[in-house]
Structure formats: C-alpha cells, structure tokens
Amino acid sequence: MMNFDYVRPASVADAIAVGSEKGASYLASGTNLLDLMKGGVSRPSRLVDLTRLPGLDRIEHLADGGLRIGALVRNADLAHDAGFARNYPAVAEALLSGASAQLRNAATVGGNLMQRTRCAYFYDAGSACNRRWPGAGCDALNGENRLHAVLGWSEGCIATHPSDFCVPLVALDAIVEIEGKSGRRELPLEALHRLPGETPERETALERGDLIVALRLPAEAQGFAKHARYIKVRERTSYAFAVVSAAASLRIEDGSIREARIALGGVAAKPWRAREAEQVLAGAAPDVAAYREAARAALAGAKPSGDNAFKIELAQRILVRALTLAAAGTPDRIPALPGSPFSSVAGA
Amino acid sequence: MTVELSLTRDPAHIRHGSNIGQPMTRTDGVLKVTGKARYAADNHPPGMVYAVIATSCIARGRVKSLDVAAAKRHPGVIDVMTPAHKPELAEDPDAKGNPFAFRMELLQSDEVRYANQAIAVVIAETLEAATEGAALLSPRYQVEIARVGLDAGEPYTPPVVGIGNPAEVRHGDIDAGIAAASKLTDSTYETPAQYHNAMEPHAIVAVWDGDRLFIDTPSQGMGFAQMRIAGLFGIPPANIHINSPFLGGGFGSKGLISGPQVLGIMAARLIGRPVKLVLRRSQMYGPVGHRPPTRQRIRIGTDDAGQLTAINHEARVTTSSFDDFYEPAADASHTLYASPAIRTAHEAVRVDTGTPLFMRAPGEATGSIVLESAIDEAAFACGIDPLEFRLKNYAEVEPTTGKPFSSKALRQCYAKAAERFGWAGRPLQPKQMRDENGFLVGWGMGTATFPAIMFQGNARAVIRADGKGVMETGAHDMGQGAWTALAQISADSLGLNFDQLTFRSGSSDLPDAGIAGGSGHTATVGAAIHNAGAAVIAKLAELATSDERSPLFGAGNAGVVARAGRLHRRDDDARSESYAEILARAGLAEVDATGSGAADATAQSQYAMHAHGAVFAEVKVDPELGQIRATRLVGAFAAGRIINPLLVESQLRGGMIWGLSFALHEEAVMDHRSGRILNANLAEYHVPVNADVPPMDVITVDEHDPHVNPLGIKGVGEIGITGSAGAVANAVFHATGIRVRNFPIKIEEIVMGLGS
Ligand SMILES: Cc1cc2nc3c(=O)[nH]c(=O)nc-3n(C[C@H](O)[C@H](O)[C@H](O)COP(=O)(O)OP(=O)(O)OC[C@H]3O[C@@H](n4cnc5c(N)ncnc54)[C@H](O)[C@@H]3O)c2cc1C
Ligand code: SF4
C-alpha cells in the first residue's frame, strides 16, 4: 500500500479544513475505502479519520417529529434501534439485508451513502473505466455486464449504486446534511447520487471537502410504518449485493392507497425513486392489477445495457411483490432473512 | 523440526472411547480454536523480510518494461527480483521431468501466459513497503489478443486425460446402442471455471543455510515438493526440510508446489535472508491450478423398458497454452450405469489461463453433475421415477471393464437415503409441489461415486523401553483430520491405548507419506502405519515367545495378540506381558520397524474399486422472482471402513455443500476480451454462506471390503461433491420444469423460464 498521511481531526471544522486539501479522503470505517486502496483503485495521500469526531454518532428525535441520524452511526446500531425499526421498518430491513453482520457492525451511515459502485471493471485497475479515469472508456459496456444498470445509464457508464440502505431512504424523502468549506447545506438524498451522463466520474453532488454530518428523515416518513417492505433478490441467501431490490411503502386508508413511496435498487447509478409508479398507485385499490401497472410505469424507461434484459422483468416482479407484501402489512418483527423473498409469503 | 501432538488429552475429549471406528474429536482441535496451531504464515524467523509478487494484468504478451528504479527508491524496499535479476536455477521451470511436474512461472522470461502471472517479486522490510514497491513497477506490456473460453481455438484430442487415462474409451458398439434406443436424450451442458479458495492462501517462509533449505509451507505432498525444489535448485532432496503441520485447506491446490512458493525460496536465496511470501486472495486466481470450464454433450439411449442402450458422453475442456492438464470430465460415465454401449471422449482447447489442475474431485465433479442431470432427463423421458430408473440400470459389474466390484453397497445407500428423505410418492411431473407459502418445491437425486485410489506412503513405528509407542509419518493434515484418524490407526496397529502413543507427522524429515490427494491418504498412510505397527509387534512377539523367561514362551508369532501395551496369549488371555517388560528383559532401548502402503496391483486387476453414495435434495424456488434455496440434503455413502465417523461425516458434509455450490453459486467470471478474472475475491466469487446451507443428513452405510487394502478403507474426501451437484440441479428442474444446462444455475434462467 502506498504511504499516506493519517490525521485524526478533533472537530468537524478541522476535518473539513484537512479534508479539502488535494489528495485527501475521508475515512469512516474503511470497509469500502480500504479495499479500494489495497486494490490500487483509490490512492489518497491523506486519510482524514472521521470516526473520533464528536457528536456524529447520535440518533436524535427532532421537535418536528423527524429523525436525525449522525453520519457515524453504525449500520447495525441503527437497524437494531427498536424505535427506528418500528418507525422505519423497511429501512431497517434494507440495512440488515446488506453485507454481513461483521460489516454492518463496522459500516457507518455516511460510508454507506458514499460507497462506490461494485462494477468489477471499476475495481480492476487494468480495465478502462470512465469513473476512475475520465475519457478512458468503459470496459463494462461490452463486457460481463449481466448485473449492470437498466435505468439512467449512459454510454459512458452503466454501473449501479450498490447500497440497500439508500433504497427505502430515497423513497421516504431522506435529507442529507452536509458541511463544507462554505458552510452547511442540505440536499435531498435523491440529489446526492448523480446519473453518469457525460461525466460518470462525478458520482455525487458533493464538492471537495464536503462532509456528510447527518441524515434526516422527515416526520411524515413514519406514516408508512404499517405498510413497508424491502425485498432483495440476490445470488445467495445472504452476503451478496442486490441483483435487483425494491422498497415499497404505502399509506392505506379506507381500503385504498392514499400515498405510495417506491424505489428500486441495483438498477441505476443511484437509488431509483419511481415517481411514475407512485402516481399510478395514488388513490388506487391495493390489488395486483394496480401493482402491475405501477411496475410497468416504473420500468417504462428501462433498457438493457448489456446481458441484463432480465433485470427489467425481474424489477417489475419484485416491485409487485414488495407492494403486495407491504399492503399485507409490515411484519411484527424484521424477518430472520431480511429482505429475502423466502422470509415472506409469496404472492397469490 | 517436527511438530508433535501430545495425544494425552482431557478425558472429556475422548467422548466415546478410542481408536478405529470411534468418533473422536480432532486431536489438534483445541490448538486450532485457541489460535495455537501455527500455520506457515505464522512463522517469523529472526531477520525475516517480506516478498510480494507483482502480477500481470494482461493474459498474453510480453512485459516490455518495469520501473525497477521507482520500486527500489521506495523506503524499505530491499530488492526487486525480475527475469534479469534472479538466482540461477539448476533446472528449467518449463522442463517436464515427470507427469507431475507442471510448468511454472519463475521469472524465466518476459513472456506473459495468463493474467495474474508473476512478473516480478519485490522484497522489502515490511509487507506494506513490498506491496507498494510492486505497485510502483508500473509494467508496460506488448499485448496480444487473449484466447478466452471454450471456443477460443481449434479443439484437439488430448494425449491423455486426468492422470494417464485415455482421451477416448469405448465399450460395446455405441452406434448400435444409439440405433437400438427407442428414446434418445441429447443435451449439451456447460460447467464454469472454479478457482481455489482455501481459507489459507499459499504461503511460504523460506530460510537458507548454505545449501540447506528450511521452509514452512502448506503442502499436500512434501515428498513431491522436495523432489521438485531439489531439481530446481540443484541440491539433494534431503537438504530440504519442509515443515507443514497444518493446512488451512488444500483441495488439490497444495498437492504440488506452486510457482509462487518457489519464488519465495528464490527471493530468500537472492538476498540471503529469511523471506515470507503470502499470496493475496486475488493472486490465487491463476498460478495454483483451477477447475477448467467444460462443455459436455451427452446422449443417452433407452429402450421401451427404460433400460439403457447407450451413453455417449463427450467433453470439451480448456487447458493452458503452455502445459497439459485435461479434466477427465466424461470419465464419470465409466462406472455407474449398466449400459451395453458406453463411449467417453474428450477434446481440448488452449486458452490463456494458468494450467488447470486438481480441484476436489477433478473430472468426477464436472462429469457427475452432467451425467446425473442427463440420467434425470432420460428417466423423465421414459416416464420413470429417477430412483427406479437408476435401480433398473444398476451396474452389477463395472460397465466399461466388466470387473466385479470389490464391494458396492450402493443399493443400501439408495434405500437408506430415500427413506430418510421421504422420496416415496414424489410426483413424476415437475412443478407439482408447493409449500404452504406458495413456493415451488422440487425433489432431485444423484448418485455419488469416487474411485478408491492409493498412492505410495511410508511410516515408522517404535516401541520404547517404557512400553509407549511412537508413530512417525510425513502425512498431511489439510483440515480433514489426518492427525486424528491416522493416530487412531496407529494406536490400534501398535496395540496401544490412544494416550500411550506419540504421533509425529507434518514434516518432510519423517518417512514420506506420499500425496494427500485422490481421497487416498488415509488408505495409503493407514496401510503403511498398519504394516509398520504389525512389524514392530511381530518383533516384540518374537522376543517374547522365544524367551523361556517370558510367560508367552512358545506361543509362536500367531499365538499372541497386542492390546493396551501388552501381548497376550491368544489361547490364554491371562498369560500376558507388557511391552516394557519384554524390552527390559531383552536389554533393548526400543524396537522399531517401517511399513509401507500402496495399492495391491493384483487386487486392482481383478476388481473395480469405488466408493458410492446417493444424494437427495429438496429446493424451493420463488415462482415469480426465481430465487432458489436448497432446503434439505440427505446423503448416504458406502466407503469401506470408517475410521472416524465424526471426521468422515464432516468430509461428506463439506463435499455435499460444494456440490450445492457447484449447482447454484460458484463461478469465476472472466472478461471475454482481456482474460482477466473479474471476481477474484470472496465477496463476489460466491460460495454458499451459512444461510444457504440447508439442514443436512449424512448417513454412512457399512461396507466390508476385503480387497481394497488391509484396513478396507476407500476414502471420503471428494465423493460428497459428486451426486450432490446433480441432485440439486435435478431438484430445480422438478420444482420449475426448467432444465438449466449452464451451471451455476442463474436467476435469469429461472425468471425468464417461469414466464410472467
Ligand atoms: C464484502 C462486502 C459486501 C457488502 N455487501 C453489501 C450489501 O449487500 N449491501 C450494501 O448496501 N452494502 C454492502 N457493502 C458495502 C458496505 O455497506 C459499505 O462498505 C459500508 O457501508 C461503507 O461504510 P464505511 O463506514 O466503512 O465507509 P468507508 O469505507 O470508510 O468510506 C466509504 C466512502 O465514503 C466516504 N465517506 C465516508 N463517510 C463519509 C462522510 N461522513 N461524508 C462524506 N464522505 C464519507 C469515504 O471517503 C469513502 O469514499 C458490502 C461491503 C463489502 C466489503
Ligand atoms: S460501468 Fe462505469 S464504473 Fe463500470 S467500467 Fe464502465 S465507467 Fe467504470
């Protein structure tokens, strides 16, 4: 591994000051960053260790009914917080469907949001990759790409964002609190990750030195707690990234859907909010016909980026399943196999 | 230096008594779970430095330049070993001295033959400095187009497959058999490349002392390793001391010394200091062997009664561009099913990968999943239950040779496993069963088989003046439990209680125990131990029975039995004498003897020798999302004498999980243009995790085999994969009606196949 400086700032302001310098990189638990460094994909000259920053590891209940989650809260701590799992069950299920127990114990909220794509060509320093090397080309495009994007991709990059956590979050209008050189600002999570377009190397809306300090869930997100699920199809029962996943949250009143919140994972360079599908369901009866129509709407703009046409079909079916299960009601406790189709009663 | 495990243990560990047939827990278990077992990379001799291999990122071409100066400027870097700067070797690493000498890359040229090949070695004071030094080499290449996959070139007929087997075997008239068929299934299957992922990567700590070499390295074959290293460095084999007490898994990858291990020795020689070299996980994907991809066409003919008329099994395999190893996949069809006509044939294509080599059940695994799937197809075509179909076509003699089996309790395996599983009443048609949650349920089965192989191995037994015993053999514990099983045999062969025995193993300074491979280690070394023990006991008996002062005087050799450190008269158990008394009277400090074990050529020419088994699997499949989960696995195996049921069940269980992995998970994904492996890590190279492993039942069926070897041992290390992979694949068909012929079975095949 290359030699690098390691600094452990005492305050957020100090962190931003050193983190804004060229070659610096924030280090949370390192479950993603250190792998990238070992593979020679990331070569920061300075690591700015965030893990000792005071005050970023708290879960706070806000006066307006919202929830504020510090960027250093561990994935496992958040998922196992009883109040959190009760109010945001799909988020907790998504968290627990990700990685392994050991990784979740280490991984932070900020790190999960900012984790890089798992595109194998991105990890393989010998391949051409526009994200790593703007203008180099994209070896995934005509390569082994059965798991790549079907929505929002460009010829420049067909990678997906791998996070499970972000999928229900984006559906629930989560907000990211950022501190940077020019002060504090907020961004809807939906605007954090960028689609590749002409500039795949710009993965997020963060500028150099920008630090995510917290994630906020608005009060009304709790309104979906009774009908919320996260379903994830993967290539083994646990410890695998999503082939495709879906988060569905519903507000059902008087036998019809008042409001639906829907997002897909594993399909695009960002957690994919499916507003078209939400519109289809607003006011509809909670039945399979409506779910199918919603699923069609969600994937209407999809196209294969390679050997992955099946993902378009699969995404629709997962969406129908997630909606069916959400409508049936959130289970009392998070299933033993979180997110797994096998943890739930199959449709029809 | 030898590791010696004291066998005097807390009685709590001796759960059911001792010695052969007892389910003893591992003698080295406590050492392992407390972290005291010292694996190769745990060693740190004084003055040791680190070597890190720089690997090629192209699959074919030449290294045009390396920035050695940049690497050397990096603080801590001591030296950079390159084709231009390396110790002289006494032998060309590309020479083929014997069939087990596979070519290796020891920086003999700037040629690149596969991705992940060693192109330089950086030696530094720290691992970090060596790693960065390797990165700073920034190689430039002259790239040639890589040959990737089963269609990369003109197929040719290999000279031999596996270890010296003919590429084509014919039994009966295959054309007539096909013509006689009233039903013919004709299917083409593909199996993927699989790469070795033992928990412990290849590692070596090498120390030179003049022209003596001391190495700590995991090895499944220390004798072979000594010979190869001796040849390469021009020193006598006896100068090479290999210490290999524990392996963190081998699975065939540590059977022969690999290029990276030799590079560690070269690095130590180059700089004159002890060197440690450990492969990174990703570096396992190339120089240490792998299971090559195969494409197999199999035609099965049956008559109106469901009797086989022909099996024509053809396999195409890949091998490297520079060496010859041919996975004998089609040979799986030689022994299992009675057919008047059987043909197996192989063809090969050269690609730019490392040379494929032995990986747990080489040939048997790749062939079994295809044969068992095809038999399932044939049974279905005939409208016959798959178990009934197999029984109808049960081979009473080995089909391709006509030899009787030395023993074959396969019928009992079928019966016991089927009963435990609850196979009766299984609907013939697929897609008939659902569970209470609406998931599709399928039941499949497969037959397991593996040949009873023996190599050549030796042991030395000693009885000391205090009446206690020592057994010495350079055997290999890969985690399978050789320390324990061989010690059990040792204690019995010397007529000692387990705690009266010292068992020494895991070092090349001990008698050569051959190779721990082919599921033949316990049989081979067990026979050597048995013979060594018997020879010592014979000497003791001779001393006692020919001495008038002994209560055993006149009993004759055949007239005594050894038990718990004493010899007893067979006809009068009360008349006995301890080993210590016998030696004391004779004025001897010890008696010793050696013994060897090897296959009995006469018996082999008369009998076909195989272990057998039957595996039944249940899977559930999500009817819309296509996700598959195995929910039950039941296997019954007949493998001769069982030395230790706990260890044996663990081997079988592990094999069955690998079978499950073969059917559903495991695959190396290679970029079809560059020839680089894209998932050379344990996050993306999927093997089953605990959540994928269903409840499993492993049954062993008694089998007395008087022909295989004196102890009647057949071996259990590899058979578990065979049968299991096919059983799982057949269960997926039974659940869904979709016959997936590309393994591992992928979600898209099920999703698209099930329709919306
Ligand atoms: C084998 C494996 C399997 C996995 N499987 C899954 C899975 O199934 N589902 C899933 O969702 N995830 C999975 N993950 C990814 C895992 O969730 C992430 O690695 C983890 O969340 C990253 O958190 P961290 O704290 O370790 O981040 P780090 O590795 O420390 O950082 C990751 C990135 O985020 C940046 N960063 C960190 N914190 C901040 C901050 N506060 N502000 C700005 N930038 C920041 C870092 O600079 C770095 O670029 C897996 C990871 C591994 C290694
Ligand atoms: S898909 Fe994106 S991340 Fe992957 S190689 Fe192409 S540009 Fe790089």
Side-chain angles (χ1 to χ4, degrees):
Chain A
M1 208 185 273
M2 74 186 279
N3 289 344
F4 53 84
D5 291 340
Y6 170 85
V7 289
R8 204 185 269 178
S11 69
V12 167
D14 286 355
I16 293 164
V18 280
S20 300
E21 284 165 28
K22 194 166 188 302
S25 187
Y26 291 129
L27 172 71
S29 288
T31 60
N32 188 210
L33 182 58
L34 296 187
D35 265 2
L36 291 165
M37 288 172 68
K38 289 182 197 164
V41 176
S42 295
R43 290 178 70 82
S45 52
R46 170 174 296 186
L47 284 187
V48 184
D49 186 349
L50 305 176
T51 53
R52 267 90 169 173
L53 288 179
L56 298 189
D57 59 351
R58 287 202 292 264
I59 304 173
E60 299 164 74
H61 297 271
L62 303 175
D64 66 0
L67 190 76
R68 185 170 185 273
I69 306 156
L72 292 179
V73 173
R74 309 282 166 164
N75 287 191
D77 290 339
L78 183 60
H80 292 301
D81 182 284
F84 182 79
R86 199 164 45 243
N87 291 333
Y88 313 98
V91 186
E93 187 169 12
L95 270 174
L96 293 177
S97 76
S100 65
Q102 294 89 332
L103 285 160
R104 293 191 299 268
N105 285 341
T108 63
V109 160
N112 193 315
L113 264 46
M114 292 299 291
Q115 65 174 295
R116 318 286 296 274
T117 181
R118 303 305 292 200
C119 170
Y121 297 93
F122 174 75
Y123 274 76
D124 174 27
S127 294
C129 169
N130 286 324
R131 273 190 193 227
R132 270 192 284 107
W133 196 282
C138 168
D139 271 349
L141 199 55
N142 295 304
E144 312 310 316
N145 49 23
R146 47 183 283 275
L147 300 179
H148 280 72
V150 293
L151 283 162
W153 54 272
S154 71
E155 296 282 317
C157 177
I158 60 173
T160 62
H161 191 260
S163 168
D164 293 301
F165 183 41
C166 289
V167 179
L169 283 178
V170 81
L172 294 174
D173 286 337
I175 290 157
V176 183
E177 292 182 16
I178 299 159
E179 288 213 34
K181 276 175 297 185
S182 42
R184 179 176 279 249
R185 66 197 163 99
E186 293 185 356
L187 213 58
L189 176 62
E190 202 180 349
L192 178 67
H193 303 101
R194 297 179 71 258
L195 290 178
E198 303 280 291
T199 51
E201 71 281 7
R202 297 206 47 214
E203 295 169 22
T204 70
L206 297 194
E207 304 290 338
R208 189 195 291 172
D210 275 355
L211 178 72
I212 295 176
V213 291
L215 178 76
R216 247 182 21 241
L217 278 162
E220 102 260 1
Q222 291 177 32
F224 298 91
K226 284 207 203 98
H227 295 283
R229 283 311 295 273
Y230 181 72
I231 299 296
K232 170 180 179 183
V233 166
R234 54 203 126 165
E235 300 197 301
R236 58 184 167 190
T237 306
S238 178
Y239 194 40
F241 290 94
V243 174
V244 183
S245 68
S249 302
L250 301 172
R251 264 194 316 117
I252 301 181
E253 283 165 24
D254 307 326
S256 73
I257 298 171
R258 283 277 143 266
E259 192 180 358
R261 296 294 186 82
I262 297 171
L264 292 165
V267 293
K270 58 191 292 187
W272 190 266
R273 177 83 179 260
R275 290 185 192 277
E276 307 79 355
E278 294 176 3
Q279 276 153 22
V280 168
L281 291 177
D287 59 32
V288 172
Y291 305 151
R292 290 219 173 104
E293 198 189 331
R296 270 195 299 277
L299 276 298
K303 67 176 191 292
S305 58
D307 291 331
N308 55 3
F310 79 98
K311 286 179 76 168
I312 299 172
E313 175 66 26
L314 182 58
Q316 296 181 55
R317 293 195 202 170
I318 290 179
L319 201 42
V320 171
R321 174 69 57 80
L323 286 163
T324 308
L325 292 171
T330 307
D332 293 338
R333 51 213 313 271
I334 295 175
L337 296 172
S340 167
F342 290 103
S343 67
S344 55
V345 176
Chain B
M1 180 171 41
T2 62
V3 169
E4 202 169 279
L5 284 182
S6 164
L7 300 178
T8 311
R9 303 177 312 162
D10 182 338
H13 292 130
I14 307 171
R15 289 215 298 237
H16 305 279
S18 58
N19 307 343
I20 292 179
Q22 300 302 321
M24 303 175 77
T25 56
R26 284 173 162 77
T27 55
D28 49 356
V30 173
L31 288 182
K32 285 183 174 171
V33 297
T34 56
K36 294 204 185 85
R38 192 185 271 256
Y39 289 79
D42 296 334
N43 291 288
H44 201 292
M48 188 195 83
V49 296
Y50 297 83
V52 165
I53 293 179
T55 53
S56 143
C57 78
I58 65 161
R60 185 184 181 196
R62 300 198 166 277
V63 178
K64 281 201 305 200
S65 72
L66 292 168
D67 195 346
V68 172
K72 280 192 159 169
R73 271 197 305 274
H74 189 71
V77 170
I78 300 167
D79 207 347
V80 179
M81 195 162 73
T82 65
H85 177 57
K86 62 173 200 305
E88 201 66 43
L89 291 176
E91 190 178 277
D92 179 1
D94 281 334
K96 295 288 282 183
N98 68 67
F100 282 109
F102 286 90
R103 300 192 163 105
M104 46 174 73
E105 296 70 35
L106 301 179
L107 305 175
Q108 62 265 42
S109 80
D110 59 4
E111 188 191 353
V112 175
R113 324 201 259 209
Y114 56 88
N116 263 341
Q117 178 195 311
I119 54 173
V121 177
V122 179
I123 306 154
E125 299 289 348
T126 64
L127 174 62
E128 291 75 12
T131 305
E132 182 59 12
L136 290 171
L137 287 172
S138 317
R140 288 172 179 282
Y141 301 99
Q142 179 189 315
V143 187
E144 285 177 57
I145 293 171
R147 289 158 291 187
V148 182
L150 286 155
D151 297 307
E154 245 340 275
Y156 61 95
T157 302
V160 293
V161 297
I163 308 170
N165 302 338
E168 181 175 1
V169 169
R170 281 172 176 275
H171 155 70
D173 184 337
I174 194 72
D175 297 328
I178 298 271
S182 58
K183 294 208 171 53
L184 184 68
T185 58
D186 181 351
S187 314
T188 300
Y189 286 83
E190 284 193 16
T191 65
Q194 297 182 353
Y195 278 75
H196 283 289
N197 273 291
M199 281 307 290
E200 178 203 34
H202 291 60
I204 190 162
V205 175
V207 184
W208 284 96
D209 178 6
D211 66 355
R212 297 183 86 79
L213 173 65
F214 297 85
I215 55 181
D216 293 288
T217 200
S219 172
Q220 294 175 244
M222 289 181 285
F224 274 109
Q226 266 179 319
M227 295 301 294
R228 187 76 199 265
I229 297 166
L232 286 166
F233 291 92
I235 55 175
N239 282 16
I240 300 162
H241 305 276
I242 305 177
N243 187 36
S244 185
F246 307 108
L247 283 77
F251 309 108
S253 72
K254 294 164 184 166
L256 303 168
I257 192 119
S258 66
Q261 288 162 296
V262 179
L263 287 170
I265 301 171
M266 288 168 65
R269 170 129 272 190
L270 182 71
I271 64 155
R273 286 173 71 177
V275 163
K276 178 189 296 192
L277 187 151
V278 181
L279 283 188
R280 293 178 58 144
R281 177 65 52 190
S282 61
Q283 294 178 335
M284 300 278 290
Y285 291 69
V288 302
H290 66 279
R291 202 193 292 288
T294 73
R295 180 182 298 145
Q296 301 177 48
R297 180 179 183 202
I298 182 162
R299 279 166 285 180
I300 295 190
T302 42
D303 65 17
D304 290 331
Q307 220 67 52
L308 290 171
T309 62
I311 300 177
N312 193 354
H313 191 163
E314 299 166 312
R316 180 186 288 194
V317 300
T318 64
T319 194
S320 70
S321 66
F322 56 92
D323 212 340
D324 299 277
F325 177 87
Y326 302 98
E327 174 96 352
D331 288 1
S333 287
H334 287 171
T335 53
L336 268 186
Y337 300 107
S339 171
I342 295 174
R343 174 177 172 265
T344 60
H346 295 83
E347 60 181 15
V349 171
R350 292 203 182 272
V351 293
D352 296 307
T353 64
T355 305
L357 276 172
F358 315 99
M359 183 188 261
R360 203 175 187 185
E364 290 86 3
T366 38
S368 168
I369 190 170
V370 170
L371 174 64
E372 293 305 314
S373 297
I375 287 286
D376 201 63
E377 290 196 64
F380 187 68
C382 295
I384 300 177
D385 173 80
L387 175 55
E388 195 191 323
F389 185 81
R390 285 173 173 83
L391 288 170
K392 253 180 191 304
N393 292 290
Y394 194 86
E396 302 293 351
V397 296
E398 186 175 53
T400 41
T401 62
K403 288 188 215 172
F405 290 99
S406 59
S407 64
K408 180 179 178 182
L410 176 58
R411 270 206 185 81
Q412 293 90 311
C413 295
Y414 284 138
K416 286 202 173 178
E419 201 207 323
R420 182 78 59 89
F421 184 85
W423 180 260
R426 170 189 179 274
L428 263 188
Q429 292 301 318
K431 234 178 155 178
Q432 300 299 304
M433 304 197 293
R434 296 232 179 192
D435 74 358
E436 64 285 3
N437 294 323
F439 293 110
L440 296 164
V441 178
W443 290 354
M445 70 166 296
T447 310
T449 187
F450 198 86
I453 297 169
M454 286 179 77
F455 296 95
Q456 165 77 41
N458 306 302
R460 175 173 171 266
V462 186
I463 293 291
R464 296 186 311 225
D466 62 1
K468 294 187 174 172
V470 179
M471 187 65 74
E472 296 180 332
T473 178
H476 313 89
D477 196 320
M478 310 176 279
Q480 85 280 40
W483 279 112
T484 311
L486 296 179
Q488 286 176 270
I489 299 173
S490 301
D492 278 5
S493 74
L494 284 171
L496 292 173
N497 292 334
F498 205 65
D499 59 5
Q500 295 171 306
L501 175 80
T502 298
F503 181 68
R504 294 202 186 110
S505 188
S507 161
S508 67
D509 295 343
L510 300 171
D512 179 17
I515 197 159
S519 300
H521 204 42
T522 310
T524 305
V525 187
I529 287 171
H530 174 84
N531 291 334
V536 166
I537 297 300
K539 285 187 182 174
L540 282 173
E542 172 65 25
L543 286 174
T545 58
S546 59
D547 187 333
E548 338 185 299
R549 291 165 297 172
S550 168
L552 302 172
F553 178 66
N557 278 2
V560 297
V561 284
R563 197 170 70 237
R566 303 182 75 83
L567 294 182
H568 298 254
R569 266 187 89 114
R570 205 179 286 279
D571 53 4
D572 180 359
D573 202 60
R575 285 167 71 185
S576 73
E577 192 172 33
S578 74
Y579 299 168
E581 286 164 341
I582 297 170
L583 288 177
R585 193 162 358 78
L588 291 173
E590 61 176 48
V591 278
D592 72 339
T594 55
S596 63
D600 172 350
T602 318
Q604 277 193 324
S605 67
Q606 286 166 1
Y607 295 99
M609 300 172 176
H610 304 273
H612 291 92
V615 182
F616 293 79
E618 177 184 87
V619 302
K620 293 190 176 176
V621 181
D622 188 300
E624 288 112 27
L625 307 184
Q627 186 144 354
I628 303 169
R629 192 158 189 238
T631 45
R632 268 186 320 133
L633 273 180
V634 177
F637 298 89
R641 187 201 292 263
I642 300 304
I643 300 299
N644 180 326
L646 263 188
L647 297 174
V648 163
E649 280 167 30
S650 155
Q651 283 298 298
L652 295 170
R653 198 177 293 267
M656 288 164 72
I657 294 170
W658 200 326
L660 168 68
S661 185
F662 202 125
L664 298 183
H665 300 293
E666 199 172 339
E667 172 179 34
V669 179
M670 191 176 275
D671 183 81
H672 63 272
R673 302 152 301 182
S674 70
R676 273 199 297 280
I677 293 169
L678 297 171
N679 59 344
N681 61 71
L682 282 178
E684 260 96 1
Y685 184 92
H686 287 169
V687 296
V689 295
N690 279 331
D692 294 303
V693 177
M696 290 171 68
D697 261 325
V698 177
I699 304 161
T700 48
V701 170
D702 286 340
E703 199 175 57
H704 173 68
D705 193 317
H707 306 296
V708 274
N709 47 54
L711 292 172
I713 299 171
K714 282 183 176 173
V716 292
E718 295 163 271
I719 188 172
I721 305 181
T722 71
S724 305
V728 171
N730 293 337
V732 171
F733 168 76
H734 191 237
T736 61
I738 303 166
R739 181 69 68 183
V740 178
R741 297 191 182 85
N742 279 350
F743 298 112
I745 295 174
K746 293 200 182 60
I747 202 142
E748 51 263 46
E749 306 248 22
I750 306 295
V751 167
M752 301 320 270
L754 282 169
S756 49

